Amino acid sequence: MTHSTLSPIHIIGGGLAGSEAAWQAAQAGVPVILHEMRGVRGTDAHKTDSLAELVCSNSFRSDDATANAVGVIHAEMRLAGSLIMACADRHQVPAGGALAVDRDGFAEAVTAEVDRHPLITVVREEIAGLPPEDWDQAIIATGPLTSPDLAEAIRAKTGEDALAFFDAIAPIVHRDSINMDICWYQSRYDKVGPGGTGKDYINCPMDQAQYNAFLDALIAGDAVGFKEWEGTPYFDGCLPIEVMAERGRETLRHGPMKPMGLTNEHNPTVKAYAVVQLRQDNALGTLYNMVGFQTKLKYGAQAEIFRMIPGLENAEFARLGGLHRNTYIHSPTLLDPTLQLRNRPGLRFAGQITGCEGYVESASIGLLAGRFAAAERKGEEISLPPATTALGSLLNHITGGHLVSHDEPGKRSFQPMNINFGLFPELEPGSIVKPEGVKRFRGKEKTVMKRQLVALRALADCKAWLGLA
């Protein structure tokens, strides 16, 4: 059967998940119509009409495929011909051990690749309700900023309330307004990552008095109030800086402001009490974002409080922080293992709306949804990724994740999750063998070996699943 005889797959949403889903389906020889509302209707967080625009950070996080779960899913996606990873690799900027990208260059590259694909048609329009019934293969990948009309249609169809959490946006500072007589370049522990040098972050040191004064200002800062309908269901992976400050005076020192692995080149004998890090945000190196400084503070309070940070006393902000509402469905009860809505065959969900968290995770679920829909359209058997892979472990979390249990008090309900080694199946007994000549083998060394073995197994099993072994 040739693609000319196949009906198209309709994909709603041109973010990372929707763009990846469209690419995977089209690469499998199936026509795709990609519906994107930006260009007709904007969102509170997006600034452009480009596909796959990054709104919260420019980091895809660790690219270490030997002992980091995020690096493993990067590697698996590359093996699967991911468009998102290919464009990220082409537009990376230095970020220590992480893979960070030039936002504009990345989004423009994804848009160009999708536009030029002969089997993908991009239609700029808002789909206000569920896909019509004659769209027998469709994917909803509208992400955290699903339009109210579509969200209401999803609730009506599923009988479940869409659950909401908040992603906070960190401020971005102009590089030339940072005082480098106080700050210095260094990656934590001098770690060198893709495209990096080991000096990929700008570090702003604080002594104890400066830290305490900053903390007091954060806690007392004027924040944007929540509307009654919003509630405050924060996701722990993206808490506003002022909310973390309220959780205890040491919280920030053990979180985004931890001083470990950093030595002040201006005063190497004195250890900073806390450190604020800024990461390069664009390829030119003219903009830096404040790592972990997502915030709901009002703009005036942000500028005043963040200029208390040593080295940022004259900071000029290209963008101040903000907060936007995210929406996701209760996937374990609503979706089958192929991401298909149980009460409507042929309709799949992908990306953050399924309850995964993070750019890469969203794109990876789009990758799977696109492959599953294409296989079904071509009359082929759908092949699920092994649970031992990063793709498979994340899919399993989404489609069979934590449920509220009346029989097991304290068991947590389903919530957004980044990829992590806790989602992977345990290794076979006896897999971890103490190296020769080592008397004591436990703790950190054992954990590192376990992660390395899990990563090796994941990549080997992914290659086999893709027919590359």
Side-chain angles (χ1 to χ4, degrees), residues 37-48:
M37 74 175 185
R38 284 181 297 120
V40 175
R41 174 175 177 169
T43 75
D44 293 334
H46 291 89
K47 304 298 182 186
T48 76

Side-chain angles (χ1 to χ4, degrees), residues 104-186:
D104 293 338
F106 167 78
E108 289 165 3
V110 173
T111 304
E113 292 289 350
V114 169
D115 282 341
R116 71 168 59 106
H117 199 292
L119 293 184
I120 302 177
T121 301
V122 180
V123 180
R124 298 283 181 166
E125 64 179 351
E126 180 182 357
I127 305 298
L130 289 178
E133 292 291 340
D134 60 352
W135 293 6
D136 63 326
Q137 285 294 328
I139 299 170
I140 295 177
T142 45
L145 300 175
T146 298
S147 68
D149 289 343
L150 180 54
E152 182 56 40
I154 293 169
R155 283 195 290 270
K157 179 65 176 177
T158 62
E160 296 274 347
D161 286 336
L163 306 175
F165 65 103
F166 290 85
D167 255 353
I169 302 172
I172 293 179
V173 180
H174 287 280
R175 161 63 185 82
D176 58 10
S177 70
I178 301 171
N179 184 355
M180 296 307 295
D181 290 333
I182 294 175
C183 305
W184 75 98
Y185 284 102
Q186 185 187 7

Side-chain angles (χ1 to χ4, degrees), residues 452-467:
Q452 290 172 340
L453 291 172
V454 170
L456 283 171
R457 179 186 65 179
L459 293 177
D461 289 353
C462 185
K463 288 177 181 177
W465 173 62
L466 294 168

Side-chain angles (χ1 to χ4, degrees), residues 252-378:
L252 292 179
R253 287 189 67 238
H254 294 280
M257 294 177 65
K258 60 178 179 279
M260 285 76 79
L262 297 167
T263 300
N264 186 347
E265 67 176 30
H266 303 299
N267 196 0
T269 61
V270 177
K271 187 73 174 178
Y273 189 75
V275 174
V276 174
Q277 287 197 306
L278 294 92
R279 179 177 58 224
Q280 185 175 334
D281 197 75
N282 65 344
L284 293 174
T286 56
L287 299 176
Y288 275 72
N289 63 61
M290 300 175 67
V291 177
F293 267 62
Q294 304 87 352
T295 182
K296 198 169 170 61
L297 290 171
K298 290 184 177 179
Y299 284 171
Q302 287 184 49
E304 181 180 348
I305 294 169
F306 294 155
R307 287 184 182 126
M308 294 174 64
I309 298 169
L312 300 187
E313 55 273 358
N314 297 311
E316 294 297 327
F317 297 93
R319 185 187 71 187
L320 287 162
L323 210 62
H324 60 264
R325 179 177 174 167
N326 282 353
T327 304
Y328 65 98
I329 63 174
H330 202 279
S331 295
T333 56
L334 300 177
L335 304 183
D336 73 8
T338 72
L339 299 166
Q340 185 173 235
L341 194 62
R342 294 182 187 275
N343 65 354
R344 180 172 163 179
L347 177 59
R348 289 180 166 82
F349 286 78
Q352 278 188 258
I353 197 169
T354 65
C356 64
E357 174 63 20
Y359 290 145
V360 175
E361 290 87 339
S362 297
S364 73
I365 299 304
L367 182 153
L368 293 175
R371 283 175 167 259
F372 296 161
E376 190 164 337
R377 172 64 81 215
K378 293 161 70 177

Side-chain angles (χ1 to χ4, degrees), residues 384-434:
L384 300 178
T388 51
T389 64
L391 291 168
S393 66
L394 187 61
L395 178 65
N396 284 349
H397 170 74
I398 289 169
T399 59
H402 298 291
L403 303 175
V404 174
S405 173
H406 299 293
D407 298 325
E408 299 178 58
K411 186 173 183 180
R412 297 191 302 173
S413 62
F414 177 68
Q415 63 179 354
M417 183 69 73
N418 294 114
I419 186 67
N420 63 84
F421 282 120
L423 301 182
F424 288 72
E426 289 290 338
L427 293 165
E428 292 293 324
S431 298
I432 303 176
V433 180
K434 183 175 71 172

